[in-house]
Amino acid sequence: MTSTDGLSLHTFRGLRYAPHRVSSLTAVTSPPYDVVVRPDGVRHLETADPYNIVRLILPHAIDPATRHRKAADTLARWRAEGVLTPDPQPALYVYEQRKGDVLQRGIIGALSLDGPVLPHEDVIPEVVEDRAALMRAAAANFEPLLLSYRGEGTATGATAVIERATERPPLLATTTEDGFAHRLWAVTDPAELAEVSADLASRQALIADGHHRWATYQRLAEEHGAGAGSPWSSGLVLLVDTARYPLRVRAIHRVLPHLPPERAVAELNGSFRVREVPGPLPAALAALDEAEGTAFLLASGTDEGFRLLDRPDPELLARTVRTDRPEAWRRLDATVLHSVLLDEVWRIPDHPDGIRYIHDTEAALGQAAKHGGTAVLMRAVDEETVRQLAAQGVTMPRKSTSFGPKPATGLVLRTLDDA
């Protein structure tokens, strides 16, 4: 879609759980769909409450078409039964997450797709198709993307609206299993909405989390020929001013279920230095963080033994890593992992059956142990590197970063049939 000069965030009539129809808000929320560790995580959420949002974002069925139709039917039934009810008027929503010394605040709204939004990661076509089929069937945005922008770092513009909202009683407040406290407020005052609009009109955003859903929004907008005013021409997002509320950046790990650790090391054939690193896990991760240059941890998940890979063969790097990209991109751990190890050394195709992307370190080890495969534990990339590459139009290998804290799924939904 054609890009405009700044961001345009629109109000929408949020769809939210009726508190008296569910056991608790905590019991019906979920992490984003790609963070839920399947199948154990799905089962855990499904048993928390019969109306848990996971039944919409990750429905069960024997084939994709049936899954997506099941989600659409479930959404329609919950709306008809009054489990999910629309707010009385369109609004932007101020959203706060707090845990210990971590505080994140932002604004949830429907963002026009023709604004300056910078992706920093590639996407997997099969995942985009799956998310598109789900949104198409349900005519809904179930969970907001996490986008960051650089504001003034002071309580002006949109940030002033956010901080005034937090002085009022919230629409909802809950604490999720991960210990984060969540609060939500509606902003409907025309003067405050105008204040937000004027501030964002000069901003550009970076996709922190949700590349596949952003690509899905764009695909569906093209399918619907969505022009200005169409609900399909915008998508549900959470915008955070990281000058005011810095995001945390964590790594996303890889699990190679069909590659046993012994074979993974044997096939390196001297292309990397390999060292045994003693556990437990925190000590091994500390050794990874202290390593200079490219480095990874390999683990089976069955014991406390870890192998640290570093010092890749320069000739192998020169032969396998693209030279038409900036040096910062060529040095990324994820670039070397995919270009050298996965594509050239281990020859594992980037397909869900061959590579699983898992955010939680313990969960990655558990999956490796379960399948007799190898967990490749990664380091995080700092936000400034991500932003600089994105500004140059350079995308990182898919699933290179995990920005957070991520918005909880299920606090506010957006439907497209009455947006």
Side-chain angles (χ1 to χ4, degrees), residues 24 39 82 162 165 181 202 251 330 343 353 370:
S24 70
I162 289 170
S202 61
R330 301 182 78 246
D343 292 352
D353 182 59
K370 179 179 180 180

Side-chain angles (χ1 to χ4, degrees), residues 120 293-296 317 321 325-339 378-382 385-386 389 394-397 400-401:
H120 70 268
T294 302
F296 316 99
L317 292 178
V321 178
R325 297 289 180 93
E327 183 64 21
W329 181 90
R330 301 182 78 246
R331 291 197 308 264
L332 291 170
D333 288 350
T335 296
V336 176
L337 174 64
H338 284 263
S339 299
M378 310 283 290
R379 297 179 295 192
V381 181
D382 66 89
T385 297
V386 175
L389 288 172
V394 177
T395 55
M396 300 165 66
S400 292
T401 60

Side-chain angles (χ1 to χ4, degrees), residues 126-144:
E126 294 87 351
V127 176
V128 174
E129 179 51 44
D130 177 74
R131 292 294 100 183
L134 176 65
M135 289 188 204
R136 191 184 298 119
N141 299 155
F142 290 134
E143 44 191 343

Side-chain angles (χ1 to χ4, degrees), residues 1 4 6-12 91-92 107-118 141 144-149 196-197 200-201 203-208 213-214 217-218 221 227 229-240 414 416 419:
M1 301 183 70
T4 58
L7 302 173
S8 181
L9 192 67
H10 305 284
T11 60
F12 68 102
L92 297 179
I107 295 185
I108 296 175
L111 185 69
S112 292
L113 303 182
D114 57 357
V117 175
L118 304 176
N141 299 155
L145 284 64
L146 175 60
L147 304 186
S148 74
Y149 70 96
V196 172
S197 180
L200 296 180
R203 310 294 184 193
Q204 67 176 13
L206 174 74
I207 301 177
R213 282 166 284 164
W214 183 256
Y217 291 164
Q218 293 178 313
S230 166
W232 297 96
S233 66
S234 57
L236 188 64
V237 306
L238 166 64
L239 274 169
V240 175
R414 175 181 180 241
L416 301 175

Side-chain angles (χ1 to χ4, degrees), residues 78-98:
W78 290 0
R79 294 174 70 180
E81 294 173 353
V83 175
L84 290 168
T85 60
D87 281 336
Q89 60 182 312
L92 297 179
Y93 294 86
V94 169
Y95 177 46
E96 176 189 273
Q97 295 162 275
R98 185 190 293 267

